[in-house]
Amino acid sequence: MVEKKTATEEKSLSRRDFLRNTGILAGGAVLGTGLLAGCSDSAAKAEAPPPVEQTWDYEADVVIIGLGGAGASAAIEAHDAGAKVLVIEKQAEKTHYPNTRMSGGVWHNPDPMGDRGARVEYIKAMMSGENIPWKNEGEQEHVSAEMAEMFADGIMDVENFLMTQAPDLDPAGMAPGGEASFPMFPKFKEAKYGKTINTRYKDFQNADDNVPAYEQPKEQKSAGEAFYWALVEEGIKGKRPEIQILFSTPAKRLIQGENGEIRGVIATQGDKEIKVKAKRAVVLSSGGYEYNLPMRRAFLEGPGVTGWGFYGSPDNTGDGIEMAILVGAGLVKVAKAASRIESAFPHGKNWDEKGLKMGSNTSVTSSKNSVIVDNFGKRYTDEHIITDSTRPYRYQFYKEAVHYDLLTMNYPRIPSWIIFDETRRTSSPVVGTSGSTVGYGFLPWSKDNLDAIQRGWILKADTLEELAAKIKADPENRELIDTQTLIDNVKKFNEYCAVGVDKDFGRTPATMGPVEKPPFYAMKLYPGGPNTKGGIDANAKREALDWNAKPIPRLYTAGEISSVFKFTYQAGGNLTECIVCGRVAGKNAAGQTPWS
Ligand SMILES: Cc1cc2nc3c(=O)[nH]c(=O)nc-3n(C[C@H](O)[C@H](O)[C@H](O)COP(=O)(O)OP(=O)(O)OC[C@H]3O[C@@H](n4cnc5c(N)ncnc54)[C@H](O)[C@@H]3O)c2cc1C
């Protein structure tokens, strides 16, 4: 018998269907229009509910979208739970450089002697900040307690999980790199959350600096290259060859059944569209939105499109976030990033077409013979806090960089300028050359910094007056620089160097050295860093949630696309969550009953 619907039911159903089909539910309406206008064709076309496809090109129990650390961990776990796993990856196999691979390879490894309850509290503070005395950003009551519990247990098995994939990793070499970051958080002491580990294979110390990380032999790999190798090359390709990987296959759209459940994925291979059936579930792990222009415009503070730079994979274009929005997923804290300030350049293979700069890891920001000034030529901070690993907030420095000056209605620190002298120029590359965008061949950089000067990325002048004139001629300075301000600030800094005390900002004396030997140089710095963090709302089971915090059936998510670190960031958090949350997502996806 066909049930007849009342007029009210008809009305409410059609409204709900409309919202679902356009991917706009509740608060989503605010984001929807702007986002979709700038998104890909597939998004714009998704006005009608995609039919549940009858013919499929591929089929698996669990389909994973994106093969970084999160996707790899999910694939391994789903496979080990007995599922047939298929991974869809946008990049080509030969140049598969996800953020995971380009990264520093650092992850968290708390002391097992720490108290579990304390660990939960400390983790909860990092994730949501709800339990810190000043209740800073606590707005995730619907998931924060269960997420902290899940993470507090999962994190204790990260080392074992990695070592199981890659027994040649060197636990001795994987030395603890630092203390827990936030002594002001609850239960800091009892949690003993102190260890941060750098991933390395046994012979990492003998790696040849002149060989790119991705070409080094396994035994000499370290950092993100080692982390990636352990999971993808050893854990998946080596130990679990049954896991099928489709490289050069960007996923475009999720296929949703009548009840909102996810049944598969539409992807492309060249010009061909393929349909992939997911009998149990789909895991979205396709990374952040660092290189998605409309998302940056929608989410990031400051002049988001041109005023930021990220130094990871240009293929992190928020595709998974877009796909999730279109099936009704809610978003949370999307504007969050693990960021500070770094150099970025309008140069590259594809990304400059989108008007986006490519960042580079600029650890030189607190080195001797250099200072940082704003667009007016004025120092505004202790430069050392930007990179100092002992300072908890270094990955929140971007909040300082997007400072808005009400009186001049300006973002005076975008760009900022690092001013340095010849001593600094000749001492080492001013950007990191081993990992990140330079190390993986996305940005060229000579060790003497000379090619960047020739390219105009670094301005050079014999005097500070002349340097100020060159800065002024740069359109991004908006003619704000005041020559005398720049000269005075550099002079004052040099005086502080002479007495070893920075009276304005208290910069660590060991990092101070005068800017005095001509020629002088200036390079632009922008808010930015490794990655975005906020994204798809998800619970401790890593089920993607809709705007009412209700799970979207058969859709799971992990990694940067739905980072658990919504409040603050301790270095190593992202790779840790790749394993912890990726494993949870993979296991739960495999645990679903097949729909056919
Ligand atoms: C230079 C650098 C240093 C860092 N250092 C550290 C560190 O030391 N410790 C730490 O914890 N974190 C670090 N991070 C951050 C960390 O690397 C990332 O947050 C983490 O690796 C993200 O993992 P992921 O699996 O979520 O995404 P990724 O590793 O970015 O993988 C996402 C994958 O999805 C693919 N993809 C994208 N769109 C699609 C699509 N439509 N269809 C199919 N596939 C798609 C991408 O090609 C990519 O392979 C660093 C990041 C960078 C860039």
Side-chain angles (χ1 to χ4, degrees), residues 303 375 410-415 471-472 474-481:
N375 245 336
N410 228 301
Y411 290 101
R413 299 172 186 173
I414 303 179
I471 291 173
K472 196 169 204 162
D474 185 309
E476 287 189 281
N477 180 247
R478 307 185 287 281
E479 300 199 354
L480 292 176
I481 195 141

Side-chain angles (χ1 to χ4, degrees), residues 308-310 342-346 357-360 362 443 524-526:
W308 282 68
F310 289 96
E342 27 90 341
S343 56
F345 309 100
K357 294 182 179 68
M358 169 158 273
S360 71
T362 317
L443 284 175
K524 285 185 269 191
L525 301 174
Y526 303 87

Side-chain angles (χ1 to χ4, degrees), residues 497-511:
C497 291
V499 293
V501 182
D502 173 8
K503 290 183 190 151
D504 290 333
F505 302 107
R507 179 167 162 176
T508 307
T511 71

Side-chain angles (χ1 to χ4, degrees), residues 214-257:
Y214 50 89
E215 283 178 1
Q216 278 158 358
K218 177 184 105 173
E219 300 70 34
Q220 293 178 356
K221 287 183 186 294
S222 61
E225 182 64 28
F227 190 89
Y228 167 89
W229 204 263
L231 293 179
V232 176
E233 295 297 328
E234 300 215 57
I236 294 186
K237 293 184 192 171
K239 292 196 165 55
R240 298 168 183 85
E242 318 71 46
I243 295 177
Q244 192 177 4
I245 308 173
L246 304 178
F247 283 100
S248 304
T249 306
K252 294 287 172 189
R253 186 151 56 90
L254 295 168
I255 297 169
Q256 204 168 17

